[in-house]
């Protein structure tokens, strides 16, 4: 049992978020947490008035939270900005907040409550996903779930622990001791970050309260249409660096993450046809199969009795030169399903068609 509330450092990188930034800052300023809080606003050298909004807000703010602006020398992307924030943080715990999202007024107090019992490596809560005029809650979490050691990576595999970097309190000494850093120069950087954290963490506490509002914007990375070659290059780099990380740390094989990344690639290959894009070349498909070292037998072990996933991975049962044609057939069958009758998991937005890997349509 601890007796003091931990000092919390909130890291908020910002880059060209002027329309949403002030709401984010206000949500941080309105926290009811009575422990010590610092908020590091990391300026990633955007071109709009976001920096001026931060300056004006700090000039008017008169409250207990210590706000600071940290200016990077040059634009480096979200990962680099988060790393800069970690380097400057002085709190016992660190929380990342995206500059176009908001946190609830009781976010810090609820996430920090379990830390009065034990200083866990991480505490995470539930989030609400705000898209246009709708709000949906993320996966249901059970209050008081505590995971230790190998249970953490298993909980991540089952989706109990969200893949997102935000809405979590991380113990700063743990991050420093394990030398955990965001992978720079990649998109979807939350996935390798959370993977590495879950592989290393010794204790993690979960609360069921909604403490974070994730805002889906039309221009956000998660709604941007990716070029297939860029997607393949991005995911292959992540998997290679994750493999290197696990070898250095002598971590047991973690195939399901490679299956996760590869399915994103193969689903992009499938949906490209639904959007009248050029079909993927067999060479691209063979490269992914070779680099990922995938097989249907490994997918079978990972997917268990999930029939939908097994069908999506059935092309892995064949050698690469035949698997390519199997996945092309699957594209055609999905096209028929969309045009003729529609199936769960296929989402049409405007003129674009997406394959949704999660029925709940929430952030994984």
């Amino acid at each position: 049992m601890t007796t003091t509330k931990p000092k919390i450092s909130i890291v908020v990188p910002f880059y060209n978020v002027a329309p949403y930034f002030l709401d984010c800052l206000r949500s941080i300023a309105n926290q009811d947490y009575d422990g010590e809080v610092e908020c590091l606003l990391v300026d990633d050298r955007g071109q709009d008035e976001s920096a001026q909004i931060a300056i004006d807000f700090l000039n008017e703010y008169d409250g207990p939270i210590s706000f600071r602006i940290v200016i990077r020398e040059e634009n480096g992307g979200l990962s680099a900005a988060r790393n800069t924030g970690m380097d400057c943080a002085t709190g016992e715990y660190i929380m990342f907040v995206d500059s176009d999202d908001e946190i609830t007024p009781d976010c810090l107090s609820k996430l920090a409550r379990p830390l009065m019992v034990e200083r866990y490596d991480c505490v995470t809560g539930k989030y609400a996903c705000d898209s246009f005029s709708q709000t949906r809650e993320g996966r249901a979490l059970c209050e008081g779930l505590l995971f230790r050691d190998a249970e953490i990576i298993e909980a991540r595999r089952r989706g109990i622990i969200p893949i997102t970097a935000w809405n979590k309190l991380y113990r700063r000494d743990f991050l420093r001791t394990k030398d955990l850093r965001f992978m720079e120069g990649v998109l979807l950087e939350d996935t390798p970050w959370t993977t590495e954290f879950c592989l290393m963490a010794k204790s993690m506490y979960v609360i069921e309260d909604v403490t974070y509002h994730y805002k889906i914007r039309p221009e956000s990375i998660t709604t941007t249409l990716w070029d297939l070659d860029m997607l393949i290059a991005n995911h292959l780099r992540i998997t290679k660096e994750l493999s290197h990380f696990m070898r250095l740390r002598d971590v047991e094989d973690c195939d399901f993450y490679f299956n996760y990344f590869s399915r994103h690639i193969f689903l992009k290959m499938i949906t490209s046809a639904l959007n009248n894009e050029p079909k993927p070349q067999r060479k691209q498909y063979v490269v992914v199969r070779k680099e990922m070292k995938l097989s249907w037998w490994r997918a079978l072990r990972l997917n268990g009795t999930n029939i939908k996933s097994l069908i999506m991975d059935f092309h892995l049962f064949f050698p690469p030169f035949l698997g390519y044609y199997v996945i092309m057939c699957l594209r055609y069958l999905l096209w028929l399903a969309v045009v003729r009758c529609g199936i769960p998991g296929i989402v049409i937005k405007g003129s674009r068609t997406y394959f949704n890997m999660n029925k709940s349509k929430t952030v994984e």
Side-chain angles (χ1 to χ4, degrees):
M1 175 73 69
T2 60
T3 58
T4 58
K5 294 186 176 181
K7 178 181 179 180
I8 297 175
S9 297
I10 304 176
V11 175
V12 187
F14 66 91
Y15 176 85
N16 291 351
V17 288
Y20 323 112
F21 197 21
L22 189 56
D23 289 337
C24 175
L25 295 174
R26 286 170 175 165
S27 74
I28 295 172
N30 291 333
Q31 292 300 295
D32 62 6
Y33 182 64
D34 57 2
E36 188 175 358
V37 180
E38 69 172 0
C39 182
L40 304 171
L41 307 177
V42 184
D43 184 353
D44 201 27
R45 294 290 188 171
Q47 291 81 45
D48 69 357
E49 62 272 24
S50 296
Q52 189 59 50
I53 291 175
I55 292 172
D56 293 342
F57 177 82
L58 265 61
N59 287 336
E60 296 177 3
Y61 176 74
D62 182 20
I65 297 178
S66 174
F67 282 91
R68 284 194 292 146
I69 297 178
V70 179
I71 303 176
R72 286 180 48 81
E73 293 183 0
E74 58 184 6
N75 171 253
L78 180 59
S79 291
R82 284 173 171 172
N83 287 336
T84 297
M86 280 197 292
D87 293 338
C88 297
T90 61
E92 185 179 353
Y93 281 82
I94 295 177
M95 180 179 186
F96 300 103
V97 176
D98 285 355
S99 51
D100 54 353
D101 295 338
E102 298 173 32
I103 57 178
T104 63
D106 55 4
C107 171
L108 297 184
S109 59
K110 286 185 174 180
L111 290 178
R113 185 177 58 217
L115 300 176
M116 299 302 293
V117 177
E118 180 181 338
R119 293 302 206 238
Y120 303 107
D121 290 336
C122 179
V123 179
T124 186
K126 196 174 180 181
Y127 65 88
C129 181
D130 298 346
S131 175
F132 306 103
S133 60
Q134 298 179 333
T135 298
R136 305 184 301 274
E137 289 191 1
R139 293 180 183 272
L141 301 177
C142 297
E143 176 68 27
L145 280 178
L146 173 61
F147 301 104
R148 295 191 185 277
D149 301 311
E151 295 175 342
I152 298 175
I153 196 65
E154 177 61 20
R156 171 62 213 116
R157 189 185 71 80
R158 292 188 285 119
I160 297 174
I161 299 173
I163 201 69
T164 55
W166 38 256
N167 200 29
K168 296 178 175 70
L169 288 183
Y170 301 95
R171 188 164 60 86
R172 186 168 65 95
D173 281 350
F174 169 81
L175 299 180
R176 186 176 65 249
T177 301
K178 299 299 183 181
D179 192 27
L180 293 179
R181 311 280 290 177
F182 283 92
M183 193 179 297
E184 300 186 13
V186 299
L187 298 175
L188 301 181
E189 58 283 304
D190 283 14
T191 301
W193 162 266
T194 306
T195 302
E196 294 178 357
F197 176 83
C198 289
L199 288 169
M200 295 287 100
K202 296 298 183 181
S203 61
M204 189 172 197
Y205 196 94
V206 178
I207 67 173
E208 65 178 352
D209 298 291
V210 172
T211 51
Y212 195 99
H213 284 270
Y214 168 63
K215 309 285 187 176
I216 297 182
R217 311 294 184 186
E219 70 278 13
S220 68
I221 290 177
T222 53
T223 56
T224 299
L225 302 174
W226 284 23
D227 173 77
L228 180 58
D229 288 329
M230 182 179 69
L231 177 76
I232 292 174
N234 185 80
H235 282 21
L236 287 181
R237 183 192 161 193
I238 289 176
T239 55
K240 288 179 180 179
E241 295 203 19
L242 274 178
S243 296
H244 179 66
F245 174 89
M246 288 187 283
R247 284 196 304 270
L248 287 179
R249 309 298 178 97
D250 194 26
V251 175
E252 294 182 3
D253 188 28
C254 198
D255 283 346
F256 98 89
Y257 279 106
F258 302 143
N259 196 42
Y260 175 89
F261 287 123
S262 63
R263 187 172 296 152
H264 271 276
I265 296 174
F266 294 133
L267 289 179
K268 179 64 171 67
M269 289 182 175
I270 292 171
T271 56
S272 63
L274 304 179
N275 295 311
N276 297 317
E277 297 173 1
K279 69 178 182 179
Q281 300 300 312
R282 188 172 65 177
K283 181 179 179 181
Q284 293 173 316
Y285 176 86
V286 172
V287 165
V288 175
R289 288 283 300 270
K290 180 180 178 181
E291 293 288 342
M292 297 286 196
K293 297 180 175 60
L294 298 164
S295 73
W296 192 72
W297 304 114
R298 295 170 76 183
L300 176 64
R301 177 171 60 84
L302 297 169
N303 296 329
T305 58
N306 189 325
I307 302 301
K308 179 179 176 181
S309 296
L310 290 174
I311 292 173
M312 294 303 302
D313 291 333
F314 186 62
H315 61 99
L316 300 175
F317 182 79
F318 300 87
F321 71 95
L322 290 179
Y324 170 78
Y325 296 105
V326 173
I327 205 170
M328 291 301 102
C329 291
L330 184 57
R331 285 163 37 131
Y332 176 70
L333 292 175
L334 283 175
W335 178 81
L336 287 179
V338 172
V339 173
R340 297 291 176 86
C341 57
I343 60 173
I346 295 292
V347 182
I348 299 178
K349 298 179 181 179
S351 62
R352 307 293 303 185
T353 305
Y354 303 86
F355 188 92
N356 183 31
M357 295 175 65
N358 300 305
K359 290 183 180 180
S360 62
K361 302 180 187 178
T362 61
V363 176
E364 175 65 15

